[in-house]
Amino acid sequence: TNRGQVAKFQGEYAKVVEGFNQTLDVVIEPINAASATLRELAQGNLHTAMTGDFKGQHGQIKEDMNQTIAFLKEYVEEITDTLEEIGRGNLNQEITTTYLGDFHAIKTALNDITTSLSTTMLDINNAAGQVESGARQISDGGQALAQGATEQASAIQELTASIDEVAQETKQNAVRANEANQRSIEVRNNAEIGNV
């Protein structure tokens, strides 16, 4: 940021100092542009770019900087889209783009999360289906026992005992259904927490 004071010199010395100042301006411009772009990146702004008409190595720095920003932006957008879909309950998500370097671990972890959540939800659905089937069987058995009780008065005591067993099984199934519901709520809460 320091510059020579041309007014303090005369003749050729003044021209040398002025040329030196102009050289510093040309050298510092791409550094300032790169620095400003990096500050924007540090603030999380992936919609920034290094601008300026730079030649040679400075032009290469500009091109490399802008390619890096585009690369980061693409990854972040795809990861964000995937997480938003998971947040909406769509667990059929998989990132198939080739990720490089440390981003590969992020891709793998995210795909593992969606696979695990899908498996857990499938297990919960299967358990709920089994509970429903068991409850239907118990209900059908109860109806058959009730019909038999009206036909045979002597079997009332046996039916009462059977109905007590059915009631106990129904309570156990209700407890299991409640547990499955609680697990479903926990999975949803964990998914929401993972989305944050």
PDB file of all heavy atoms in Angstrom, residues 113 117 183-196:
ATOM      1  N   ILE A 113     -26.742 -42.472   5.293  1.00  0.00           N
ATOM      2  CA  ILE A 113     -27.853 -41.998   6.133  1.00  0.00           C
ATOM      3  C   ILE A 113     -29.184 -42.300   5.462  1.00  0.00           C
ATOM      4  O   ILE A 113     -30.103 -42.825   6.104  1.00  0.00           O
ATOM      5  CB  ILE A 113     -27.708 -40.488   6.412  1.00  0.00           C
ATOM      6  CG1 ILE A 113     -26.580 -40.242   7.403  1.00  0.00           C
ATOM      7  CG2 ILE A 113     -29.016 -39.899   6.949  1.00  0.00           C
ATOM      8  CD1 ILE A 113     -26.191 -38.784   7.554  1.00  0.00           C
ATOM      9  N   LEU A 117     -32.005 -44.790   6.990  1.00  0.00           N
ATOM     10  CA  LEU A 117     -33.356 -44.309   7.293  1.00  0.00           C
ATOM     11  C   LEU A 117     -34.403 -45.099   6.513  1.00  0.00           C
ATOM     12  O   LEU A 117     -35.458 -45.436   7.048  1.00  0.00           O
ATOM     13  CB  LEU A 117     -33.467 -42.821   6.970  1.00  0.00           C
ATOM     14  CG  LEU A 117     -32.782 -41.861   7.941  1.00  0.00           C
ATOM     15  CD1 LEU A 117     -32.841 -40.436   7.402  1.00  0.00           C
ATOM     16  CD2 LEU A 117     -33.412 -41.932   9.313  1.00  0.00           C
ATOM     17  N   ARG A 183     -40.941 -45.277  17.889  1.00  0.00           N
ATOM     18  CA  ARG A 183     -39.725 -45.389  17.070  1.00  0.00           C
ATOM     19  C   ARG A 183     -39.848 -44.564  15.796  1.00  0.00           C
ATOM     20  O   ARG A 183     -38.902 -43.924  15.366  1.00  0.00           O
ATOM     21  CB  ARG A 183     -39.455 -46.851  16.728  1.00  0.00           C
ATOM     22  CG  ARG A 183     -38.960 -47.640  17.932  1.00  0.00           C
ATOM     23  CD  ARG A 183     -38.484 -49.017  17.536  1.00  0.00           C
ATOM     24  NE  ARG A 183     -38.183 -49.808  18.722  1.00  0.00           N
ATOM     25  CZ  ARG A 183     -38.688 -50.991  18.988  1.00  0.00           C
ATOM     26  NH1 ARG A 183     -39.508 -51.554  18.126  1.00  0.00           N
ATOM     27  NH2 ARG A 183     -38.368 -51.643  20.088  1.00  0.00           N
ATOM     28  N   SER A 184     -41.034 -44.577  15.221  1.00  0.00           N
ATOM     29  CA  SER A 184     -41.259 -43.778  14.018  1.00  0.00           C
ATOM     30  C   SER A 184     -41.073 -42.296  14.310  1.00  0.00           C
ATOM     31  O   SER A 184     -40.452 -41.572  13.543  1.00  0.00           O
ATOM     32  CB  SER A 184     -42.664 -44.052  13.484  1.00  0.00           C
ATOM     33  OG  SER A 184     -42.964 -43.206  12.422  1.00  0.00           O
ATOM     34  N   ILE A 185     -41.595 -41.845  15.455  1.00  0.00           N
ATOM     35  CA  ILE A 185     -41.437 -40.430  15.842  1.00  0.00           C
ATOM     36  C   ILE A 185     -39.974 -40.116  16.077  1.00  0.00           C
ATOM     37  O   ILE A 185     -39.472 -39.080  15.649  1.00  0.00           O
ATOM     38  CB  ILE A 185     -42.284 -40.127  17.100  1.00  0.00           C
ATOM     39  CG1 ILE A 185     -43.779 -40.179  16.745  1.00  0.00           C
ATOM     40  CG2 ILE A 185     -41.918 -38.771  17.694  1.00  0.00           C
ATOM     41  CD1 ILE A 185     -44.708 -40.143  17.922  1.00  0.00           C
ATOM     42  N   GLU A 186     -39.246 -41.044  16.747  1.00  0.00           N
ATOM     43  CA  GLU A 186     -37.814 -40.816  16.997  1.00  0.00           C
ATOM     44  C   GLU A 186     -37.047 -40.726  15.683  1.00  0.00           C
ATOM     45  O   GLU A 186     -36.180 -39.862  15.524  1.00  0.00           O
ATOM     46  CB  GLU A 186     -37.248 -41.957  17.849  1.00  0.00           C
ATOM     47  CG  GLU A 186     -37.730 -41.942  19.294  1.00  0.00           C
ATOM     48  CD  GLU A 186     -37.285 -43.204  20.046  1.00  0.00           C
ATOM     49  OE1 GLU A 186     -36.472 -43.983  19.502  1.00  0.00           O
ATOM     50  OE2 GLU A 186     -37.765 -43.403  21.170  1.00  0.00           O
ATOM     51  N   VAL A 187     -37.367 -41.606  14.728  1.00  0.00           N
ATOM     52  CA  VAL A 187     -36.681 -41.579  13.438  1.00  0.00           C
ATOM     53  C   VAL A 187     -36.935 -40.256  12.739  1.00  0.00           C
ATOM     54  O   VAL A 187     -36.032 -39.619  12.195  1.00  0.00           O
ATOM     55  CB  VAL A 187     -37.113 -42.766  12.564  1.00  0.00           C
ATOM     56  CG1 VAL A 187     -36.657 -42.593  11.137  1.00  0.00           C
ATOM     57  CG2 VAL A 187     -36.568 -44.063  13.132  1.00  0.00           C
ATOM     58  N   ARG A 188     -38.227 -39.818  12.765  1.00  0.00           N
ATOM     59  CA  ARG A 188     -38.559 -38.537  12.122  1.00  0.00           C
ATOM     60  C   ARG A 188     -37.811 -37.393  12.803  1.00  0.00           C
ATOM     61  O   ARG A 188     -37.255 -36.534  12.142  1.00  0.00           O
ATOM     62  CB  ARG A 188     -40.068 -38.296  12.194  1.00  0.00           C
ATOM     63  CG  ARG A 188     -40.472 -37.018  11.441  1.00  0.00           C
ATOM     64  CD  ARG A 188     -41.962 -36.719  11.469  1.00  0.00           C
ATOM     65  NE  ARG A 188     -42.747 -37.831  10.951  1.00  0.00           N
ATOM     66  CZ  ARG A 188     -43.668 -38.456  11.687  1.00  0.00           C
ATOM     67  NH1 ARG A 188     -43.918 -38.103  12.913  1.00  0.00           N
ATOM     68  NH2 ARG A 188     -44.347 -39.453  11.164  1.00  0.00           N
ATOM     69  N   ASN A 189     -37.789 -37.396  14.140  1.00  0.00           N
ATOM     70  CA  ASN A 189     -37.065 -36.332  14.864  1.00  0.00           C
ATOM     71  C   ASN A 189     -35.573 -36.363  14.543  1.00  0.00           C
ATOM     72  O   ASN A 189     -34.960 -35.314  14.335  1.00  0.00           O
ATOM     73  CB  ASN A 189     -37.273 -36.477  16.377  1.00  0.00           C
ATOM     74  CG  ASN A 189     -38.692 -36.124  16.797  1.00  0.00           C
ATOM     75  OD1 ASN A 189     -39.429 -35.463  16.056  1.00  0.00           O
ATOM     76  ND2 ASN A 189     -39.117 -36.549  17.971  1.00  0.00           N
ATOM     77  N   ASN A 190     -35.001 -37.560  14.498  1.00  0.00           N
ATOM     78  CA  ASN A 190     -33.566 -37.661  14.159  1.00  0.00           C
ATOM     79  C   ASN A 190     -33.312 -37.182  12.745  1.00  0.00           C
ATOM     80  O   ASN A 190     -32.301 -36.537  12.468  1.00  0.00           O
ATOM     81  CB  ASN A 190     -33.073 -39.104  14.333  1.00  0.00           C
ATOM     82  CG  ASN A 190     -32.951 -39.486  15.796  1.00  0.00           C
ATOM     83  OD1 ASN A 190     -32.851 -38.631  16.653  1.00  0.00           O
ATOM     84  ND2 ASN A 190     -32.973 -40.777  16.075  1.00  0.00           N
ATOM     85  N   ALA A 191     -34.243 -37.489  11.827  1.00  0.00           N
ATOM     86  CA  ALA A 191     -34.080 -37.022  10.453  1.00  0.00           C
ATOM     87  C   ALA A 191     -34.137 -35.512  10.401  1.00  0.00           C
ATOM     88  O   ALA A 191     -33.385 -34.874   9.689  1.00  0.00           O
ATOM     89  CB  ALA A 191     -35.141 -37.649   9.549  1.00  0.00           C
ATOM     90  N   GLU A 192     -35.095 -34.924  11.185  1.00  0.00           N
ATOM     91  CA  GLU A 192     -35.187 -33.453  11.212  1.00  0.00           C
ATOM     92  C   GLU A 192     -33.947 -32.833  11.815  1.00  0.00           C
ATOM     93  O   GLU A 192     -33.453 -31.821  11.333  1.00  0.00           O
ATOM     94  CB  GLU A 192     -36.424 -33.036  11.991  1.00  0.00           C
ATOM     95  CG  GLU A 192     -37.732 -33.349  11.240  1.00  0.00           C
ATOM     96  CD  GLU A 192     -38.967 -33.071  12.082  1.00  0.00           C
ATOM     97  OE1 GLU A 192     -38.842 -32.659  13.251  1.00  0.00           O
ATOM     98  OE2 GLU A 192     -40.086 -33.284  11.569  1.00  0.00           O
ATOM     99  N   ILE A 193     -33.428 -33.469  12.874  1.00  0.00           N
ATOM    100  CA  ILE A 193     -32.194 -32.952  13.495  1.00  0.00           C
ATOM    101  C   ILE A 193     -31.045 -33.074  12.501  1.00  0.00           C
ATOM    102  O   ILE A 193     -30.226 -32.163  12.362  1.00  0.00           O
ATOM    103  CB  ILE A 193     -31.890 -33.710  14.803  1.00  0.00           C
ATOM    104  CG1 ILE A 193     -32.913 -33.341  15.869  1.00  0.00           C
ATOM    105  CG2 ILE A 193     -30.466 -33.384  15.291  1.00  0.00           C
ATOM    106  CD1 ILE A 193     -32.878 -34.208  17.094  1.00  0.00           C
ATOM    107  N   GLY A 194     -30.960 -34.177  11.778  1.00  0.00           N
ATOM    108  CA  GLY A 194     -29.889 -34.365  10.785  1.00  0.00           C
ATOM    109  C   GLY A 194     -30.001 -33.364   9.655  1.00  0.00           C
ATOM    110  O   GLY A 194     -29.019 -33.002   9.042  1.00  0.00           O
ATOM    111  N   ASN A 195     -31.215 -32.893   9.353  1.00  0.00           N
ATOM    112  CA  ASN A 195     -31.419 -31.908   8.296  1.00  0.00           C
ATOM    113  C   ASN A 195     -30.883 -30.545   8.703  1.00  0.00           C
ATOM    114  O   ASN A 195     -30.511 -29.766   7.857  1.00  0.00           O
ATOM    115  CB  ASN A 195     -32.904 -31.815   7.969  1.00  0.00           C
ATOM    116  CG  ASN A 195     -33.165 -31.001   6.734  1.00  0.00           C
ATOM    117  OD1 ASN A 195     -32.293 -30.903   5.883  1.00  0.00           O
ATOM    118  ND2 ASN A 195     -34.335 -30.436   6.592  1.00  0.00           N
ATOM    119  N   VAL A 196     -30.891 -30.270  10.010  1.00  0.00           N
ATOM    120  CA  VAL A 196     -30.376 -28.981  10.488  1.00  0.00           C
ATOM    121  C   VAL A 196     -28.901 -28.975  10.308  1.00  0.00           C
ATOM    122  O   VAL A 196     -28.235 -28.148   9.883  1.00  0.00           O
ATOM    123  CB  VAL A 196     -30.731 -28.767  11.964  1.00  0.00           C
ATOM    124  CG1 VAL A 196     -30.112 -27.502  12.488  1.00  0.00           C
ATOM    125  CG2 VAL A 196     -32.218 -28.714  12.145  1.00  0.00           C
TER     126      VAL A 196
END
